[in-house]
Protein backbone atom coordinates (compact mmCIF):
# COMPACT_ATOMS: atom_id res chain seq x y z
CA UNK A 1 0.00 0.00 0.00
CA UNK A 2 2.81 2.42 0.83
CA UNK A 3 4.46 1.86 -2.54
CA UNK A 4 1.15 2.48 -4.33
CA UNK A 5 0.69 5.77 -2.49
CA UNK A 6 4.18 6.89 -3.45
CA UNK A 7 3.42 6.02 -7.08
CA UNK A 8 0.29 8.17 -6.93
CA UNK A 9 2.33 11.13 -5.71
CA UNK A 10 4.69 10.84 -8.64
CA UNK A 11 2.03 10.34 -11.31
CA UNK A 12 1.70 14.09 -11.78
CA UNK A 13 5.30 14.17 -13.00
CA UNK A 14 4.33 11.84 -15.84
CA UNK A 15 1.39 13.92 -17.00
CA UNK A 16 1.19 17.11 -19.05
CA UNK A 17 2.90 19.50 -18.89
CA UNK A 18 5.70 17.87 -16.82
CA UNK A 19 5.97 14.95 -19.25
CA UNK A 20 7.53 17.29 -21.82
CA UNK A 21 10.58 17.64 -19.56
CA UNK A 22 11.04 13.88 -19.81
CA UNK A 23 11.78 14.28 -23.54
CA UNK A 24 15.17 15.65 -22.47
CA UNK A 25 16.20 12.26 -21.11
CA UNK A 26 18.95 10.81 -23.34
CA UNK A 27 17.56 7.27 -23.21
CA UNK A 28 13.73 7.41 -23.18
CA UNK A 29 13.23 11.06 -24.20
CA UNK A 30 12.99 10.48 -27.97
CA UNK A 31 10.46 7.66 -27.48
CA UNK A 32 8.32 9.90 -25.30
CA UNK A 33 8.49 12.66 -27.91
CA UNK A 34 7.36 10.33 -30.71
CA UNK A 35 4.43 9.16 -28.55
CA UNK A 36 3.53 12.82 -27.91
CA UNK A 37 3.68 13.62 -31.63
CA UNK A 38 1.29 10.76 -32.39
CA UNK A 39 -1.17 11.97 -29.75
CA UNK A 40 -0.93 15.57 -30.91
CA UNK A 41 -1.77 14.59 -34.47
CA UNK A 42 -4.62 12.48 -33.12
CA UNK A 43 -6.10 15.76 -31.85
CA UNK A 44 -5.82 17.17 -35.40
CA UNK A 45 -2.97 19.55 -34.62
CA UNK A 46 -0.64 20.11 -37.56
CA UNK A 47 2.89 19.70 -36.20
CA UNK A 48 4.35 21.01 -39.47
CA UNK A 49 2.46 24.30 -39.54
CA UNK A 50 5.46 26.26 -38.17
CA UNK A 51 3.64 29.30 -36.87
CA UNK A 52 5.47 32.60 -37.24
CA UNK A 53 2.72 34.98 -36.15
CA UNK A 54 4.45 35.56 -32.77
CA UNK A 55 7.98 35.76 -34.16
CA UNK A 56 8.48 39.52 -34.04
CA UNK A 57 12.23 39.24 -34.48
CA UNK A 58 14.51 37.28 -36.76
CA UNK A 59 16.06 34.47 -34.72
CA UNK A 60 18.35 33.46 -37.55
CA UNK A 61 16.85 29.95 -37.64
CA UNK A 62 15.61 28.74 -41.01
CA UNK A 63 13.25 25.77 -41.24
CA UNK A 64 14.98 22.86 -42.95
CA UNK A 65 12.29 21.46 -45.24
CA UNK A 66 14.50 18.48 -46.11
CA UNK A 67 14.71 17.42 -42.48
CA UNK A 68 12.24 14.61 -41.77
CA UNK A 69 10.44 13.52 -38.63
CA UNK A 70 11.34 10.29 -36.89
CA UNK A 71 8.69 7.64 -37.38
CA UNK A 72 5.83 8.06 -34.92
CA UNK A 73 2.75 7.19 -37.01
CA UNK A 74 1.83 3.55 -37.56
CA UNK A 75 -1.01 1.94 -39.47
CA UNK A 76 -1.36 -0.74 -36.82
CA UNK A 77 -0.70 -0.32 -33.13
CA UNK A 78 1.10 -3.67 -33.08
CA UNK A 79 3.83 -2.07 -35.17
CA UNK A 80 4.57 0.61 -32.58
CA UNK A 81 7.80 -0.21 -30.69
CA UNK A 82 7.36 -1.26 -27.08
CA UNK A 83 9.41 1.66 -25.73
CA UNK A 84 7.00 4.07 -27.46
CA UNK A 85 3.79 2.11 -26.88
CA UNK A 86 4.14 2.21 -23.10
CA UNK A 87 4.15 6.02 -23.20
CA UNK A 88 1.49 6.22 -25.89
CA UNK A 89 -0.88 4.10 -23.81
CA UNK A 90 -0.07 5.99 -20.61
CA UNK A 91 -0.84 9.41 -22.17
CA UNK A 92 -3.66 8.29 -24.47
CA UNK A 93 -6.51 9.46 -22.21
CA UNK A 94 -4.93 12.91 -21.94
CA UNK A 95 -4.27 13.46 -25.63
CA UNK A 96 -6.28 16.71 -25.62
CA UNK A 97 -4.23 18.08 -22.73
CA UNK A 98 -1.01 16.97 -24.44
CA UNK A 99 -2.05 18.80 -27.63
CA UNK A 100 -2.90 21.92 -25.63
CA UNK A 101 0.50 22.05 -23.93
CA UNK A 102 2.29 21.23 -27.18
CA UNK A 103 0.98 24.53 -28.49
CA UNK A 104 1.19 26.34 -25.16
CA UNK A 105 4.92 25.65 -24.86
CA UNK A 106 5.40 26.87 -28.43
CA UNK A 107 6.50 23.61 -30.03
CA UNK A 108 4.47 24.43 -33.14
CA UNK A 109 6.54 27.52 -33.89
CA UNK A 110 8.99 27.58 -36.75
CA UNK A 111 12.00 28.45 -34.62
CA UNK A 112 11.87 25.12 -32.74
CA UNK A 113 10.84 22.84 -35.62
CA UNK A 114 14.35 21.74 -36.60
CA UNK A 115 15.26 20.69 -33.05
CA UNK A 116 12.04 18.74 -32.66
CA UNK A 117 12.61 16.81 -35.88
CA UNK A 118 16.19 15.94 -34.95
CA UNK A 119 15.17 14.80 -31.48
CA UNK A 120 12.39 12.63 -32.90
CA UNK A 121 14.97 10.83 -35.07
CA UNK A 122 17.04 9.62 -32.11
CA UNK A 123 16.58 5.89 -31.58
CA UNK A 124 18.46 2.83 -30.51
CA UNK A 125 21.71 3.82 -28.82
CA UNK A 126 21.44 7.15 -27.04
CA UNK A 127 23.07 10.00 -28.88
CA UNK A 128 23.97 11.60 -25.54
CA UNK A 129 25.66 9.97 -22.56
CA UNK A 130 23.03 8.52 -20.21
CA UNK A 131 25.33 8.73 -17.18
CA UNK A 132 26.73 12.16 -17.97
CA UNK A 133 26.89 14.57 -14.98
CA UNK A 134 25.99 17.42 -17.35
CA UNK A 135 22.94 15.99 -19.11
CA UNK A 136 21.13 19.33 -19.25
CA UNK A 137 24.17 20.95 -20.83
CA UNK A 138 24.45 18.07 -23.29
CA UNK A 139 20.82 18.57 -24.29
CA UNK A 140 21.42 22.30 -24.75
CA UNK A 141 24.41 21.64 -26.99
CA UNK A 142 22.34 19.40 -29.26
CA UNK A 143 18.99 21.22 -29.13
CA UNK A 144 19.57 24.82 -27.96
CA UNK A 145 16.28 26.29 -29.17
CA UNK A 146 14.17 23.50 -27.66
CA UNK A 147 16.07 23.81 -24.37
CA UNK A 148 15.41 27.57 -24.22
CA UNK A 149 11.72 26.93 -24.90
CA UNK A 150 11.49 24.47 -22.01
CA UNK A 151 13.42 26.78 -19.72
CA UNK A 152 11.16 29.72 -20.52
CA UNK A 153 8.15 27.73 -19.33
CA UNK A 154 9.38 25.51 -16.52
CA UNK A 155 12.41 27.28 -15.03
CA UNK A 156 11.20 30.88 -15.12
CA UNK A 157 7.58 30.50 -14.04
CA UNK A 158 6.89 32.40 -10.81
CA UNK A 159 4.78 29.51 -9.54
CA UNK A 160 7.76 27.16 -9.67
CA UNK A 161 9.84 29.59 -7.62
CA UNK A 162 7.02 30.02 -5.12
CA UNK A 163 6.71 26.28 -4.62
CA UNK A 164 10.43 25.98 -3.86
CA UNK A 165 10.40 29.00 -1.55
CA UNK A 166 7.32 27.74 0.25
CA UNK A 167 8.91 24.35 0.81
CA UNK A 168 12.07 26.05 2.05
CA UNK A 169 10.06 28.15 4.48
CA UNK A 170 8.19 25.10 5.78
CA UNK A 171 11.47 23.27 6.41
CA UNK A 172 12.96 26.24 8.24
CA UNK A 173 10.01 27.44 10.30
CA UNK A 174 7.50 24.61 10.50
CA UNK A 175 8.82 21.12 9.86
CA UNK A 176 10.45 19.19 12.68
CA UNK A 177 11.24 15.54 11.91
CA UNK A 178 11.14 14.68 15.63
CA UNK A 179 7.67 16.17 16.22
CA UNK A 180 4.48 14.17 15.54
CA UNK A 181 2.59 15.06 12.38
CA UNK A 182 -0.54 15.84 14.43
CA UNK A 183 1.32 18.47 16.44
CA UNK A 184 2.76 20.06 13.29
CA UNK A 185 -0.70 20.18 11.75
CA UNK A 186 -2.18 21.84 14.84
CA UNK A 187 0.67 24.33 14.89
CA UNK A 188 0.15 25.24 11.24
CA UNK A 189 -3.61 25.65 11.66
CA UNK A 190 -3.07 27.93 14.66
CA UNK A 191 -0.56 30.08 12.75
CA UNK A 192 -2.90 30.36 9.78
CA UNK A 193 -5.72 31.53 12.03
CA UNK A 194 -3.57 34.19 13.70
CA UNK A 195 -2.22 35.32 10.34
CA UNK A 196 -5.72 35.73 8.90
CA UNK A 197 -6.84 37.87 11.86
CA UNK A 198 -3.78 40.12 11.55
CA UNK A 199 -4.16 40.64 7.80
CA UNK A 200 -7.86 41.40 8.21
CA UNK A 201 -7.04 44.23 10.64
CA UNK A 202 -4.70 45.72 8.04
CA UNK A 203 -7.31 45.35 5.31
CA UNK A 204 -9.82 47.26 7.46
CA UNK A 205 -7.31 50.11 7.67
CA UNK A 206 -7.02 50.15 3.87
CA UNK A 207 -10.82 50.20 3.53
CA UNK A 208 -11.03 53.09 5.98
CA UNK A 209 -8.44 55.08 4.04
CA UNK A 210 -10.34 54.44 0.81
CA UNK A 211 -13.61 55.51 2.41
CA UNK A 212 -12.08 58.84 3.44
CA UNK A 213 -10.89 59.53 -0.10
CA UNK A 214 -14.01 58.27 -1.88
CA UNK A 215 -14.78 61.78 -3.12
CA UNK A 216 -11.42 62.09 -4.87
CA UNK A 217 -11.60 58.67 -6.46
CA UNK A 218 -15.18 58.62 -7.63
CA UNK A 219 -15.67 56.46 -10.67
CA UNK A 220 -12.52 54.40 -10.12
CA UNK A 221 -12.75 50.64 -10.41
CA UNK A 222 -12.97 48.94 -7.03
CA UNK A 223 -10.29 46.40 -6.20
CA UNK A 224 -9.75 44.07 -3.27
CA UNK A 225 -8.08 45.62 -0.24
CA UNK A 226 -4.45 44.50 0.09
CA UNK A 227 -2.96 43.99 3.53
CA UNK A 228 0.60 45.11 2.66
CA UNK A 229 0.42 47.49 -0.28
CA UNK A 230 1.46 50.70 1.50
CA UNK A 231 3.77 52.01 4.19
CA UNK A 232 1.11 52.13 6.91
CA UNK A 233 0.14 48.47 6.62
CA UNK A 234 3.75 47.28 6.39
CA UNK A 235 4.59 49.15 9.60
CA UNK A 236 1.45 47.77 11.21
CA UNK A 237 2.48 44.19 10.39
CA UNK A 238 5.74 44.68 12.29
CA UNK A 239 3.91 46.16 15.26
CA UNK A 240 1.46 43.24 15.25
CA UNK A 241 4.30 40.73 15.36
CA UNK A 242 5.95 42.56 18.24
CA UNK A 243 2.67 42.60 20.17
CA UNK A 244 2.17 38.90 19.47
CA UNK A 245 5.67 38.12 20.68
CA UNK A 246 5.13 40.02 23.94
CA UNK A 247 1.75 38.38 24.41
CA UNK A 248 3.18 34.87 24.13
CA UNK A 249 6.55 35.35 25.82
CA UNK A 250 7.89 32.17 27.41
CA UNK A 251 8.40 33.91 30.76
CA UNK A 252 4.75 34.92 31.05
CA UNK A 253 3.51 31.49 29.98
CA UNK A 254 5.62 29.59 32.50
CA UNK A 255 4.27 31.73 35.34
CA UNK A 256 0.72 30.48 34.72
CA UNK A 257 -0.75 27.55 36.69
CA UNK A 258 -0.15 24.10 35.20
CA UNK A 259 -3.87 23.49 34.71
CA UNK A 260 -4.14 26.59 32.55
CA UNK A 261 -0.96 25.70 30.62
CA UNK A 262 -2.49 22.33 29.76
CA UNK A 263 -5.59 24.03 28.34
CA UNK A 264 -3.46 26.47 26.34
CA UNK A 265 -1.82 23.80 24.20
CA UNK A 266 -2.36 24.28 20.48
CA UNK A 267 -3.75 20.80 19.99
CA UNK A 268 -6.32 21.30 22.76
CA UNK A 269 -7.45 24.65 21.33
CA UNK A 270 -7.80 23.32 17.81
CA UNK A 271 -9.60 20.17 18.89
CA UNK A 272 -12.03 22.20 20.97
CA UNK A 273 -12.82 24.47 18.04
CA UNK A 274 -13.15 21.53 15.67
CA UNK A 275 -15.47 19.73 18.12
CA UNK A 276 -17.84 22.69 18.23
CA UNK A 277 -18.19 22.68 14.46
CA UNK A 278 -18.52 18.90 14.29
CA UNK A 279 -21.21 18.88 16.99
CA UNK A 280 -23.16 21.51 15.07
CA UNK A 281 -22.93 19.44 11.88
CA UNK A 282 -24.06 16.34 13.75
CA UNK A 283 -27.10 18.18 15.08
CA UNK A 284 -27.98 19.42 11.60
CA UNK A 285 -27.64 15.90 10.14
CA UNK A 286 -29.78 14.46 12.93
CA UNK A 287 -32.51 17.07 12.41
CA UNK A 288 -32.46 16.41 8.69
CA UNK A 289 -32.68 12.64 9.09
CA UNK A 290 -35.52 12.99 11.62
CA UNK A 291 -37.45 15.19 9.20
CA UNK A 292 -36.92 12.71 6.36
CA UNK A 293 -38.01 9.82 8.57
CA UNK A 294 -41.15 11.69 9.59
CA UNK A 295 -42.08 12.48 5.98
CA UNK A 296 -41.59 8.85 4.99
CA UNK A 297 -43.77 7.60 7.83
CA UNK A 298 -46.50 10.01 6.81
CA UNK A 299 -46.38 9.06 3.15
CA UNK A 300 -46.38 5.30 3.71
CA UNK A 301 -49.61 3.57 4.80
CA UNK A 302 -49.51 1.44 7.92
CA UNK A 303 -49.38 -2.30 7.37
CA UNK A 304 -50.88 -4.93 9.54
CA UNK A 305 -48.19 -7.14 11.00
CA UNK A 306 -50.44 -10.24 10.87
CA UNK A 307 -50.24 -10.13 7.08
CA UNK A 308 -46.60 -11.19 7.12
Amino acid sequence: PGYDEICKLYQILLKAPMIFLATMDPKVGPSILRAILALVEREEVDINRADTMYDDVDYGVEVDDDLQWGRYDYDKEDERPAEEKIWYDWLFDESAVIAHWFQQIGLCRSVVLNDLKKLSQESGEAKRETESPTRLRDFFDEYPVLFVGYRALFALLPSASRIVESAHGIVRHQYDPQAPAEFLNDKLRYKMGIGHDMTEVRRKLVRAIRAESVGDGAGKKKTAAKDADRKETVQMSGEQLEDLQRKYSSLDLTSLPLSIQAKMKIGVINKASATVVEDELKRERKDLSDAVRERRSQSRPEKRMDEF
Side-chain angles (χ1 to χ4, degrees):
Y3 176 78
D4 295 337
E5 293 299 322
I6 293 176
C7 290
K8 291 180 181 178
L9 294 176
Y10 282 91
Q11 283 182 5
I12 190 173
L13 300 178
L14 300 178
K15 300 288 186 179
M18 302 303 294
I19 190 63
F20 284 90
L21 290 179
T23 61
M24 302 171 66
D25 185 86
K27 186 174 182 180
V28 300
S31 299
I32 297 176
L33 177 61
R34 288 189 287 271
I36 289 175
L37 293 175
L39 293 171
V40 169
E41 280 208 339
R42 180 176 178 271
E43 295 297 325
E44 300 181 354
V45 175
D46 184 7
I47 62 176
N48 291 291
R49 71 187 189 193
D51 288 345
T52 56
M53 58 184 299
Y54 298 108
D55 296 339
D56 299 327
V57 296
D58 183 11
Y59 296 104
V61 178
E62 297 291 337
V63 177
D64 187 356
D65 296 328
D66 296 331
L67 192 61
Q68 301 297 319
W69 292 98
R71 187 181 181 187
Y72 61 87
D73 189 18
Y74 298 88
D75 296 332
K76 298 180 179 179
E77 284 301 317
D78 297 341
E79 299 177 358
R80 192 179 301 278
E83 62 272 14
E84 294 178 28
K85 182 174 175 53
I86 186 174
W87 294 107
Y88 183 86
D89 294 340
W90 171 257
L91 300 171
F92 184 83
D93 294 336
E94 293 195 348
S95 59
V97 182
I98 293 291
H100 164 77
W101 279 103
F102 185 88
Q103 300 170 88
Q104 181 76 18
I105 298 173
L107 301 184
C108 54
R109 295 175 60 178
S110 60
V111 69
V112 77
L113 196 58
N114 292 342
D115 281 359
L116 273 182
K117 287 183 176 181
K118 288 190 293 185
L119 181 58
S120 69
Q121 291 176 0
E122 285 193 21
S123 60
E125 293 296 330
K127 188 176 181 180
R128 291 158 283 135
E129 290 292 335
T130 56
E131 302 298 331
S132 173
T134 58
R135 291 198 293 178
L136 288 179
R137 183 66 196 186
D138 296 343
F139 186 88
F140 173 78
D141 292 339
E142 292 289 338
Y143 311 102
V145 180
L146 184 56
F147 179 88
V148 171
Y150 284 158
R151 182 175 182 271
L153 176 66
F154 295 102
L156 302 182
L157 272 180
S159 58
S161 301
R162 288 171 186 163
I163 291 173
V164 174
E165 290 299 327
S166 299
H168 181 244
I170 291 174
V171 171
R172 288 190 60 186
H173 304 295
Q174 171 68 22
Y175 180 69
D176 183 359
Q178 296 181 345
E182 183 179 2
F183 173 79
L184 295 176
N185 184 44
D186 293 337
K187 182 179 177 182
L188 181 60
R189 288 173 59 190
Y190 181 75
K191 284 185 175 182
M192 291 172 64
I194 291 293
H196 175 268
D197 295 339
M198 293 168 62
T199 55
E200 187 58 27
V201 172
R202 298 197 294 272
R203 291 192 190 101
K204 288 181 179 179
L205 174 63
V206 175
R207 297 187 188 107
I209 295 175
R210 288 182 179 178
E212 293 177 359
S213 60
V214 67
D216 299 334
K220 291 185 178 179
K221 183 179 180 180
K222 293 183 179 180
T223 57
K226 305 295 183 181
D227 64 280
D229 64 342
R230 60 195 70 202
K231 183 178 180 180
E232 293 89 342
T233 53
V234 173
Q235 290 178 341
M236 181 182 287
S237 64
E239 295 170 357
Q240 288 176 324
L241 291 175
E242 290 180 354
D243 294 341
L244 188 64
Q245 184 180 10
R246 287 192 294 268
K247 184 177 180 181
Y248 293 100
S249 65
S250 58
L251 182 61
D252 293 339
L253 293 178
T254 53
S255 62
L256 296 173
L258 295 178
S259 58
I260 297 179
Q261 292 185 31
K263 295 180 180 179
M264 290 169 48
K265 290 183 178 180
I266 295 174
V268 175
I269 295 173
N270 279 326
K271 287 179 180 178
S273 300
T275 304
V276 172
V277 177
E278 290 176 357
D279 291 343
E280 182 64 26
L281 292 174
K282 287 180 180 178
R283 285 194 293 269
E284 291 180 1
R285 286 196 294 266
K286 185 177 184 301
D287 294 341
L288 180 60
S289 61
D290 291 343
V292 172
R293 189 178 297 108
E294 183 178 357
R295 288 197 302 269
R296 288 178 177 174
S297 61
Q298 293 175 356
S299 61
R300 295 175 181 174
E302 295 184 0
K303 294 186 177 181
R304 298 176 57 183
M305 297 302 297
D306 54 2
E307 295 179 356
F308 295 95

